[in-house]
Amino acid sequence: MKILIRPDAPAAAARAAEIIAARLRAQPGAVLGLATGGTMEAVYGRLIALHRAGQVSFAGATSFNLDEYVGLAGDHPCSYRHYMAEKLFDHIDMRAGAAHLPRGEAPDADAEAARYEAAIVAAGDIDLQLLGLGQNGHIGFNEPTSSLASVTRPKTLERSTRAANSQYFPDGIEPPRIAITMGIGTIMRAREVLLVATGAAKARAVAQVVEGPVSARWPGSVLQMHPRATLVLDPAAAAELELAEYYRDIHPD
Ligand code: PGA
């Protein structure tokens, strides 16, 4: 794992955006794995700025998002399809139809998950997978005790995950209980993985993921087994890392 500790959260987002942009410059037809959540808003903001400055194009890219809520159609304002349009897709030059998310409105969630997994395989798997990190260590919506070999499937969300995401839903409306998520095995097939975590609320999960044992208790810890995983952190998220000084020494920039 490469651990990059940046001076603050905007600098972490900027570094993550630069890594994605560099991949697209080197490989314009890259298959990107994309994520949602508060952390990604800053990353996408930087990518949009790079695009507007003529420094990155998505015209040849394909994308697959990690997850979608079961029961929410793509035009629902709380769906991840809607989030992605608002935070990224409406502002860049990605081709219509090149951006994929699980269909939350599909009548059979198991069948939809199988279709989505097959679509990722048919695209040749993900070249660069962007990940956030849950306070409980989840990647995608792979909650604690998810099989480390899992593929795309419906998952029941932990109470803490739904509480963290309730801020994005109108007052009195709770996030759905079930989401379709890429599996941990799906994520591990990506050729490169880029996890971004900022803020003190992530410090415990970051420490477990980087320095704890590989365990389904903290699903992100499986990235210790990935040949090319980079974590971009701010100092608050890195605060509980025992070896922070070592990571700063080997990657000062
Ligand atoms: P956040 O979500 O960026 O909103 O903290 C991350 C996640 O749960 O994966």
Side-chain angles (χ1 to χ4, degrees), residues 36-40 132-135 138-141 165 167-168 202:
T36 51
T39 313
M40 294 307 147
L133 182 66
Q135 294 178 35
H138 72 205
I139 50 175
F141 272 137
N165 291 356
Q167 59 177 309
Y168 302 111
K202 303 292 172 68

Side-chain angles (χ1 to χ4, degrees), residues 156-209:
T156 304
L157 306 183
E158 245 204 3
R159 198 178 293 266
S160 68
T161 298
R162 295 174 71 219
N165 291 356
S166 64
Q167 59 177 309
Y168 302 111
F169 284 74
D171 277 352
I173 310 254
E174 297 217 333
R177 288 189 68 234
I178 301 175
I180 294 173
T181 180
M182 276 188 207
I184 295 176
T186 321
I187 292 167
M188 289 296 281
R189 293 200 312 268
R191 284 175 273 281
E192 180 178 0
V193 173
L194 173 63
L195 184 148
V196 189
T198 55
K202 303 292 172 68
R204 181 169 180 232
V206 165
Q208 290 294 329
V209 161

Side-chain angles (χ1 to χ4, degrees), residues 25-248:
R25 285 181 211 120
Q27 187 188 1
V31 180
L32 301 176
L34 298 177
T36 51
T39 313
M40 294 307 147
E41 291 187 27
V43 177
Y44 295 149
R46 292 290 304 190
L47 275 176
I48 292 165
L50 289 171
H51 173 65
R52 288 187 176 146
Q55 292 176 25
V56 66
S57 169
F58 296 78
T62 303
S63 72
F64 289 89
N65 262 78
L66 283 165
D67 42 26
E68 180 62 281
Y69 290 114
V70 168
L72 300 194
D75 57 357
H76 190 289
C78 297
S79 71
Y80 284 153
R81 165 68 76 178
H82 187 271
Y83 168 107
M84 289 305 299
E86 192 176 87
K87 309 292 186 211
L88 184 64
F89 297 149
D90 286 354
H91 313 282
I92 59 173
D93 59 346
M94 198 129 129
R95 286 169 297 123
H100 305 276
L101 285 90
R103 292 187 298 230
E105 73 277 32
D108 180 340
D110 288 300
E112 172 60 10
R115 181 198 69 79
Y116 197 71
E117 180 74 19
I120 294 169
V121 171
D125 280 322
I126 309 259
D127 289 305
L128 174 60
Q129 177 68 55
L130 184 59
L131 297 172
L133 182 66
Q135 294 178 35
N136 62 5
H138 72 205
I139 50 175
F141 272 137
N142 294 286
E143 301 286 38
T145 73
S146 287
S147 160
L148 300 184
S150 49
V151 295
T152 307
R153 68 221 184 285
K155 262 313 266 184
T156 304
L157 306 183
E158 245 204 3
R159 198 178 293 266
S160 68
T161 298
R162 295 174 71 219
N165 291 356
S166 64
Q167 59 177 309
Y168 302 111
F169 284 74
D171 277 352
I173 310 254
E174 297 217 333
R177 288 189 68 234
I178 301 175
I180 294 173
T181 180
M182 276 188 207
I184 295 176
T186 321
I187 292 167
M188 289 296 281
R189 293 200 312 268
R191 284 175 273 281
E192 180 178 0
V193 173
L194 173 63
L195 184 148
V196 189
T198 55
K202 303 292 172 68
R204 181 169 180 232
V206 165
Q208 290 294 329
V209 161
V210 176
E211 296 174 344
V214 174
S215 164
R217 169 63 188 88
W218 298 93
S221 64
V222 74
L223 298 178
Q224 294 175 31
M225 306 286 289
H226 195 285
R228 200 162 169 209
T230 301
L231 276 69
V232 185
L233 310 172
D234 72 347
E240 292 185 31
L241 288 170
E242 274 179 36
L243 303 181
E245 285 319 307
Y246 170 58
Y247 311 137
R248 285 190 165 100

